[in-house]
Amino acid sequence: MDLLANLALGLSVAVTPVNLGLCLVGVLVGTLIGVLPGLGPVATIAMLLPLTFGLPPTGALIMLAGIYYGAQYGGSTTSILVNIPGEASSVVTTIDGFQLARRGRAGAALAIAAIGSFFAGTLATVLVAALSAPLTTVALAFGAPEYFSLMVLGLAFAVVLSHGAIPKSIAGILLGLVLSMVGSDLATGAARLAFGVPELSDGIGFVVIAMGVFGFAEIMRNLEAPERRGAIGGRITGLMPTRADLVQSAPAIGRGSLIGSALGILPGGGAVIASFAAYTLEKRVAKDPSRFGQGAIEGVAAPESANNAAAQTSFIPMLTLGIPANAVMALMIGALTIQGIIPGPQVMSRQPDLVWGLIASMWIGNLMLLVINLPLVGVWVSLLRVPYRLLFPAVIAICCIGAYSVNNSAFDVMLTGLFGLAGYWLAKHEFEPAPILLSLVLGPPMEENLRRAMVISNGDPSVFLTRPIAATLLGLTAVMLVLAMLPRIRRRREQVFVG
């Protein structure tokens, strides 16, 4: 009964005109950036963070969440129509989706992608609602040692599940932790790593780093690549799938939704992993695996259901524990911090309208996506014909305005440019930026909880081993890192991500 009462509270918050409007804006922008290759949810949300200053907290989160799961669906449109994944999680969809389009069945593929995404989103919303309260109750039993150990585990997940080399992922984690220490000491107020620069005395802004590493760096990378535009010719007809399509797709949608829901909770980018896992499972259980790669409808249904479900269940650790499951969730925590809200289990009890309003808006947003996206296919195809050289100046302008608006400081704009160059260098040398952002967000609370744990134990570090939950979490961290470094596990891990 508590669950139903909480969902009723959430619906009453989500269906207000302002929040409905922000949800609609979010899913429309999300679909747009998913459709346009080179613009991802991380870069877009980073650019839009300054706009959330003037929005109410619930409305801001609803809009940003809509951008995230809207982008998962939008990425399928280009994957199917022009064989260009708008999103990393839509890479698998290109395998069979584009083959269906070449056979004149783009409409059926797009419709199955929409239906699968809606079903997966609905299931994931129920899971988020059902698991959030119990996990929050467990989390309330955590003390400073447990929180520190949990954050270490979250960083370990980011290392293990990132697709770069493990030493480079660890280096990214350490770099993010160092950047999080720039500014004033939490206890004494003394300047740290500011090097005599007054503008660094309050630390480096989260928005500045996010827009530089993801926004500017992504633009420079895209300008290097030759443009591959040119949509499927002719009019897209027959949007409704056949009865046979629905029968073949239903089990794949169900399995993909379950896989995505489970993997989305894990820190480290579950949507990408989930889409690969769902496609691999469908190929293994199929009676005729040779159909895959030739235009199998299940090859669209499974990964599209998986990535949408994973995108939404990744909110569970963010809402209940204050731990971001991926770079987008790190930005969400940044949005909460901007609004003066401390992420963690207290949010669920102190601001239930915010949490349950966000959860209810997910179902509403998925319904909006189902209703509005199929009629907009022609619009998205037209946008694909716009050369990227005409789009990137607008993106740079938005980044600069966003960086300046945080503190009305030109220094922040220059700093964003420097981090853009750094992000470009890191990408060229195959360093993943996501672990940097995750550790940047987790750095301050990790330091705070480490200090509190040391105060509680009178400086005895064995407190992390004598408390069962903390010791278990640190043990899991060690086991994961050891397994990831074993040659056989490492080879298999590289095969999953590289192909």
Side-chain angles (χ1 to χ4, degrees):
M1 293 302 293
D2 288 341
L3 177 59
L4 293 177
N6 288 329
L7 286 175
L9 170 64
L11 283 171
S12 68
V13 173
V15 298
T16 60
V18 172
N19 288 338
L20 281 176
L22 289 171
C23 185
L24 178 61
V25 169
V27 296
L28 282 173
V29 172
T31 306
L32 173 63
I33 63 157
V35 165
L36 292 172
L39 290 176
V42 177
T44 304
I45 290 174
M47 288 186 290
L48 294 179
L49 273 181
L51 298 181
T52 63
F53 290 169
L55 294 175
T58 304
L61 279 186
I62 286 174
M63 183 184 72
L64 296 177
I67 292 173
Y68 183 37
Y69 56 79
Q72 304 304 317
Y73 176 76
S76 68
T77 303
T78 49
S79 297
I80 292 167
L81 294 177
V82 293
N83 201 30
I84 301 174
E87 268 298 292
S89 57
S90 296
V91 170
V92 185
T93 308
T94 61
I95 300 172
D96 286 279
F98 186 63
Q99 294 302 321
L100 285 166
R102 292 180 66 181
R103 287 161 41 189
R105 306 210 60 224
L110 290 165
I112 287 296
I115 294 168
S117 294
F118 175 72
F119 177 83
T122 301
L123 175 63
T125 301
V126 173
L127 287 175
V128 172
L131 295 177
S132 292
L135 283 175
T136 300
T137 303
V138 173
L140 288 172
F142 276 37
E146 289 77 12
Y147 268 120
F148 175 80
S149 303
L150 180 65
M151 292 174 191
V152 172
L153 178 62
L155 293 181
F157 267 118
V159 170
V160 173
L161 296 177
S162 62
H163 58 260
I166 287 182
K168 292 183 177 181
S169 298
I170 294 175
I173 293 287
L174 296 176
L175 175 60
L177 291 175
V178 170
L179 290 173
S180 72
M181 296 171 63
V182 175
S184 302
D185 184 272
L186 295 175
T188 66
R192 300 188 305 191
L193 302 176
F195 303 106
V197 180
E199 288 85 354
L200 294 179
S201 58
D202 291 329
I204 303 174
F206 173 81
V207 175
V208 167
I209 296 176
M211 283 196 294
V213 171
F214 286 98
F216 282 9
E218 194 68 22
I219 290 168
M220 287 186 275
R221 289 179 61 195
N222 288 327
L223 289 175
E224 272 192 337
E227 292 191 27
R228 295 183 299 144
R229 302 293 173 101
I232 295 290
R235 192 174 165 212
I236 297 170
T237 57
L239 286 177
M240 292 309 296
T242 63
R243 186 186 186 91
D245 290 334
L246 292 172
V247 171
Q248 286 181 318
S249 301
I253 289 173
R255 287 188 288 263
S257 300
L258 291 173
I259 290 173
S261 297
L263 294 179
I265 300 173
L266 298 176
V272 178
I273 300 168
S275 61
F276 276 89
Y279 186 86
T280 303
L281 176 63
E282 290 308 310
K283 195 170 181 179
R284 290 193 176 224
V285 302
K287 293 181 180 178
D288 182 14
S290 64
R291 292 172 48 248
F292 286 79
Q294 307 299 319
I297 196 73
E298 306 99 294
V300 173
E304 284 304 309
S305 302
N307 66 30
N308 200 277
Q312 291 185 221
T313 55
S314 62
F315 281 86
I316 292 176
M318 190 273 282
L319 290 173
T320 58
L321 304 173
I323 302 296
N326 51 47
V328 175
M329 291 303 107
L331 289 168
M332 291 288 182
I333 290 180
L336 283 172
T337 306
I338 287 171
Q339 297 283 351
I341 299 169
I342 300 174
Q346 291 82 9
V347 174
M348 182 75 75
S349 56
R350 293 179 182 175
Q351 294 179 295
D353 54 335
L354 182 147
V355 174
W356 292 103
L358 173 62
I359 291 172
S361 76
M362 292 179 186
W363 186 82
I364 296 172
N366 275 281
L367 184 60
M368 288 178 176
L369 284 168
L370 183 66
V371 172
I372 66 178
N373 268 288
L374 292 180
L376 288 176
V377 168
V379 177
W380 303 139
V381 174
S382 300
L383 283 170
L384 286 172
R385 299 190 179 103
V386 178
Y388 190 73
R389 66 179 181 274
L390 301 180
L391 287 176
F392 86 86
V395 177
I396 290 178
I398 293 171
C399 282
C400 291
I401 293 170
Y404 182 80
S405 64
V406 175
N407 295 312
N408 292 330
S409 169
F411 180 81
D412 285 349
V413 178
M414 291 186 289
L415 208 54
T416 304
L418 288 175
F419 277 107
L421 292 172
Y424 174 74
W425 184 90
L426 290 170
K428 293 291 287 184
H429 291 80
E430 298 181 347
F431 284 86
E432 259 201 292
I436 299 174
L437 192 63
L438 290 174
S439 59
L440 176 71
V441 171
L442 292 179
M446 279 184 69
E447 181 183 357
E448 181 182 357
N449 282 290
L450 176 61
R451 291 190 176 197
R452 287 173 57 197
M454 290 293 97
V455 170
I456 292 170
S457 64
N458 293 319
D460 183 5
S462 66
V463 66
F464 297 104
L465 301 177
T466 55
R467 295 176 67 130
I469 296 177
T472 301
L473 293 172
L474 290 177
L476 286 173
T477 301
V479 169
M480 279 200 310
L481 291 176
V482 169
L483 288 176
M485 291 178 183
L486 291 177
R488 186 177 177 184
I489 300 292
R490 186 169 65 246
R491 281 197 300 270
R492 183 170 295 182
R493 175 176 169 272
E494 290 171 354
Q495 288 172 1
V496 169
F497 288 106
V498 178

